[in-house]
Amino acid sequence: MSIKPPVQDESDAELQVSKPKRSAGGLPSLQYSMPQAVAEMGVTRSAKTLLAMNQKDGFDCMSCAWPDPPERKTAEFCENGAKAVTWEAGLLTIGRDFWENNSVSSLRSRSEYWLGQQGRLVEPMYKPAGSDHYQPISWENAFRIVARELNDLDSPDEATFYTSGRTSNETAFQYQLFARAFGTNNLPDCSNMCHESTGKAMEETIGIGKSAIAYEDFEKSDLIIIMGQNPGTCHPRMLTALEEAKDAGSTIVAINPLPEAGLINFKNPQRPRGLVGKGTDLADQFLQIRLAGDMALMQAVAKRVFAAEAAAPGAVLDHAFLEEHCQGLEEYRAHIENVDEKAVREATGLRTAEIDELASRYLKADKVIVTWAMGLTQHKKAVPTIKEIINLLLLRGNIGKPGAGPSPIRGHSNVQGDRTMGIWEQMPDHFLDALGKEFNFDPPRAHGFDAVQSIRAMRDGMLKVLFAMGGNLVGAISDTAVAEAALQKLKLTVQVSTKLNRSHAFVGAQALILPTLGRTEIDRQATGEQFVTVEDTVCAVHASSGKVEPVAVGILSEMAIVSHLARAVLGKNHPIDWAGFEANYDTIREHISHVVPGCSDYNAKVRQWGGFVLPHPPRDSRTFPTPTGKAMFSVGELETVQVPKGRLLLQTVRSHDQFNTTMYSLNDRYRGVKKGRQVLFVNPSDLVELGIPNGSYVDIHSESVDGVDRVLRQQRIISFPTARGCVAAYFPEANVLVALDDTAEGSNTPVSKSVVVRLEKTDAPAFAAAH
Ligand SMILES: Nc1nc2c(c(=O)[nH]1)N[C@H]1C(S)=C(S)[C@@H](COP(=O)(O)OP(=O)(O)OC[C@H]3O[C@@H](n4cnc5c(=O)[nH]c(N)nc54)[C@H](O)[C@@H]3O)O[C@H]1N2
Ligand SMILES: Nc1nc2c(c(=O)[nH]1)N[C@H]1C(S)=C(S)[C@@H](COP(=O)(O)OP(=O)(O)OC[C@H]3O[C@@H](n4cnc5c(=O)[nH]c(N)nc54)[C@H](O)[C@@H]3O)O[C@H]1N2
Ligand code: SF4
Ligand SMILES: [Mo]
């Protein structure tokens, strides 16, 4: 068969803009995804991958963390899941001539799109110090170099071990064990840039940083409030759950500065009315909030709840629940009763009547779910904002009962599992105690570096080695220029990857690329075919086994790579049986069952059809594992982001055809953008006020406290129905505008969704002018 060659086109020369769509979905997943899949994988491989996706004995979709429904359809995946599979399992590979023809420095000028389209990485590559080229290296020599550099450090804390959220539970557990046996807690992960604010807010209030609902709760709810989330693109099968919930009588409120297609209307491809009809209008109420206005909104709704209670004492709050399970109500009430409505209108940009309507919906509903994603976590006040959601839910006992609860929706397919398995620079002592006891060593206790701190430490010369288990740290983190320079100061960077990205171009003096198997591929080890396990956003853990032949021979699994790494660094006589982990993944699962809370009998439980659900005390029994044993109300002072006159507030979003720093194409169908990404979505009234014509070009300057002028040049203006004063550009391109030190209080997550910017008119780029 012939495999599609890599793309050449990289510029926005053919950019087309049309009206944004009102509805998401509408094309049957198989019909839509098959042609592309067949072009890249061939017929058999396409069928073997797509039909095994999210099925019994199949593999877990490696894209997002959305859970599987209790009953599976033949095609249990969405368009974006299919794109992810096609991207990973496509047969195009990077040959030796590529490395001869492309120097490391030449890769720096390539786009993420181009890099990702070159094909799968198939052999270990090494860039020696002083050279500008990667060259092939044997696995053995690659591990020898890593061992030499790691063992040469003055302290284990001069190395940092990054993880992206695709890594399996087994690999994550082995990898954190290795880092700690080596002697460091420097275990930054993509979660530091993602739901860290969620984890912090929920742990401090209800004692656990995870969703408190089960899949079935959507259908049982009366009201679902979706905040700061774009499910039509980022969690597409959530739309099916929402449609089913509506059929069962629930109502939906969407809170977002952008009228995202999937929030407004859903054309379910699995239903006749979705294919040919108008689809289902999902949101019963859409609140077009200003960026970072959610904390004020939650406080304003809570104020109305207290007012309703005052008008009908005893009839509104869940007094029994509050009495038995909560602490801090009176302080919170006193604070909320003083919330200034004018400040709320200013922060939210919403009318009083809209807030009244939301409050009345909340008061009418007995069972309320609130979901959220990056629209809430990537703001200065992200942690207190999420705490306000918890406050509001606690008032009427909306946690630990069917159809109700807070539900962060995670990003990467196993980012939650990685954290459960110990990937965190600040794992609690009880975990480290259990780990030390199981393996008979003293894990380091001092907290390690998170992602932002790791970049700072590289910049400041405190780190010498970066080992990255997947991901694209340089591409994903804020302040691109600072990050690129920081990585280049290292002695050694090691990337375990499936495909090329920017992090292979901005590297230490020495650099290694270690190619690895993806989820779709059969993983054969000494004792036979292996499976791995993952945890989804509602804490369900289940098995995943690859179905197709690896794209090339000689690629190691992530488990094998960590096992070899550990043996090379810690020596063959190290008391932990690293070789055993590689040979049979059951052995590591056995240790997981002794160390990780809720995982007893792990090997048996993950072999059951559908796996098992991890314990969640607030969800299961309304017990709150906080220091007081109660759910904690919290008091948060409102602080509106100040946007000086003539400036706008910028958020960075994902397009429909990207997965984080991976681009499947340059299109963003629902927002009406085709063949380009260098755009800025601006409200038409703001354009008039600023005197900037639709379709013209601007340089975006961000204004941070550090006074550095950060610029993203020549972005094309798209007049777009976003909230007033708020603009949107694509991540990761716009990361250049986010200062490294501009992070959320309490979680240190880059504030990628509230950056004060100034637009300056500029000429059209040469390609556009020539058009
Ligand atoms: N196709 C695809 N799927 C993905 C990903 C991907 O890149 N592509 N990434 C995965 C990952 S790692 C993650 S974390 C998730 C991300 O999933 P999302 O968080 O849904 O993704 P974003 O594109 O960051 O969109 C943020 C949404 O929040 C809104 N928003 C921004 N700021 C605010 C605010 O202040 N208030 C409110 N109420 N809304 C706001 C934006 O308008 C946008 O709709 O998706 C996962 N799934
Ligand atoms: N401005 C801005 N910045 C953001 C965000 C934002 O909304 N705005 N979002 C943040 C969020 S939510 C996240 S999660 C981070 C994402 O940060 P990362 O997780 O670091 O980035 P990804 O783009 O998901 O990583 C993609 C790379 O992972 C590798 N890969 C893919 N599959 C596998 C596999 O199975 N194994 C291994 N070993 N490697 C694999 C491939 O080489 C691919 O190029 O970005 C953050 N950065
Ligand atoms: S909703 Fe997420 S996990 Fe499910 S198929 Fe789509 S991308 Fe994959
Ligand atoms: Mo994420």
Side-chain angles (χ1 to χ4, degrees), residues 71 125 131 338 374 472 626 643 722:
E71 284 171 31
M125 300 301 298
S131 166
N338 285 319
M374 296 306 99
N472 179 2
T626 59
V643 184
T722 178

Side-chain angles (χ1 to χ4, degrees), residues 165 190-195 235 374 377-378 409-412 415 654 659-660 731:
C190 66
S191 197
N192 298 146
M193 302 177 259
C194 184
H195 265 295
H235 304 91
M374 296 306 99
T377 63
Q378 298 174 335
I409 308 295
R410 303 274 159 187
H412 268 293
V415 63
R654 294 152 166 82
F659 187 89
N660 298 340
F731 142 65

Side-chain angles (χ1 to χ4, degrees), residues 361-412:
R361 286 179 187 279
Y362 182 71
L363 288 166
K364 260 200 289 201
D366 281 333
K367 293 165 283 174
V368 181
I369 290 174
V370 180
T371 74
W372 68 91
M374 296 306 99
L376 294 200
T377 63
Q378 298 174 335
H379 293 286
K380 190 112 224 147
K381 295 284 174 186
V383 176
T385 299
I386 295 160
K387 285 184 174 178
E388 291 296 351
I389 297 177
I390 304 293
N391 285 334
L392 183 64
L393 289 175
L394 291 178
L395 286 179
R396 286 176 44 84
N398 276 306
I399 185 165
K401 68 180 182 190
S407 186
I409 308 295
R410 303 274 159 187
H412 268 293

Side-chain angles (χ1 to χ4, degrees), residues 230 234 255-256 260 292 294 374 379 651 654 658 660 753:
N230 179 19
C234 292
I255 302 172
N256 201 306
E260 307 282 25
D294 305 82
M374 296 306 99
H379 293 286
Q651 66 156 325
R654 294 152 166 82
Q658 85 181 73
N660 298 340
K753 298 223 182 348

Side-chain angles (χ1 to χ4, degrees), residues 149-399:
E149 294 305 328
L150 284 178
N151 287 326
D152 203 34
L153 297 174
D154 289 335
S155 147
D157 291 329
E158 289 181 341
T160 193
F161 296 88
Y162 179 69
T163 311
S164 172
R166 238 171 229 191
T167 297
S168 67
N169 284 346
E170 287 75 4
T171 304
F173 186 81
Q174 190 190 192
Y175 185 56
Q176 63 82 33
L177 173 63
F178 163 70
R180 294 188 164 113
F182 175 65
T184 184
N185 279 317
N186 288 342
L187 283 157
D189 67 350
C190 66
S191 197
N192 298 146
M193 302 177 259
C194 184
H195 265 295
E196 199 66 61
S197 308
T198 298
K200 272 273 144 51
M202 292 180 79
E203 264 153 36
E204 287 171 17
T205 51
I206 64 165
I208 174 167
K210 297 181 179 186
S211 167
I213 66 163
Y215 187 94
E216 294 83 359
D217 283 318
F218 284 103
E219 253 185 9
K220 296 178 187 158
S221 69
D222 300 321
L223 172 65
I224 303 166
I225 303 177
I226 305 166
M227 304 179 75
Q229 203 201 334
N230 179 19
T233 284
C234 292
H235 304 91
R237 282 190 303 157
M238 181 173 172
L239 300 185
T240 308
L242 293 174
E243 188 185 42
E244 285 163 5
K246 279 210 83 156
D247 285 351
S250 190
T251 49
I252 295 173
V253 173
I255 302 172
N256 201 306
L258 293 172
E260 307 282 25
L263 294 172
I264 311 297
N265 180 279
F266 176 42
K267 292 187 170 174
N268 188 343
Q270 310 250 14
R271 287 187 176 187
R273 76 163 183 249
L275 265 180
V276 291
K278 288 210 318 250
T280 305
D281 286 331
L282 283 181
D284 298 277
Q285 187 187 2
F286 173 58
L287 291 131
Q288 188 161 38
I289 197 166
R290 282 208 178 122
L291 288 168
D294 305 82
M295 182 171 170
L297 178 63
M298 291 295 100
Q299 292 195 350
V301 174
K303 186 176 175 185
R304 285 155 176 77
V305 173
F306 282 122
E309 170 72 16
V316 172
L317 302 184
D318 185 340
H319 291 278
F321 173 78
L322 292 167
E323 186 73 17
E324 194 183 339
H325 297 292
C326 304
Q327 192 167 316
L329 175 66
E330 288 318 315
E331 219 186 325
Y332 168 66
R333 186 205 305 260
H335 179 68
I336 291 297
E337 284 175 348
N338 285 319
V339 164
D340 173 19
E341 289 287 321
K342 193 166 153 277
V344 169
R345 283 195 301 273
E346 196 183 307
T348 60
L350 298 170
R351 288 174 289 114
T352 303
E354 291 177 284
I355 302 174
D356 290 344
E357 184 185 334
L358 174 61
S360 113
R361 286 179 187 279
Y362 182 71
L363 288 166
K364 260 200 289 201
D366 281 333
K367 293 165 283 174
V368 181
I369 290 174
V370 180
T371 74
W372 68 91
M374 296 306 99
L376 294 200
T377 63
Q378 298 174 335
H379 293 286
K380 190 112 224 147
K381 295 284 174 186
V383 176
T385 299
I386 295 160
K387 285 184 174 178
E388 291 296 351
I389 297 177
I390 304 293
N391 285 334
L392 183 64
L393 289 175
L394 291 178
L395 286 179
R396 286 176 44 84
N398 276 306
I399 185 165

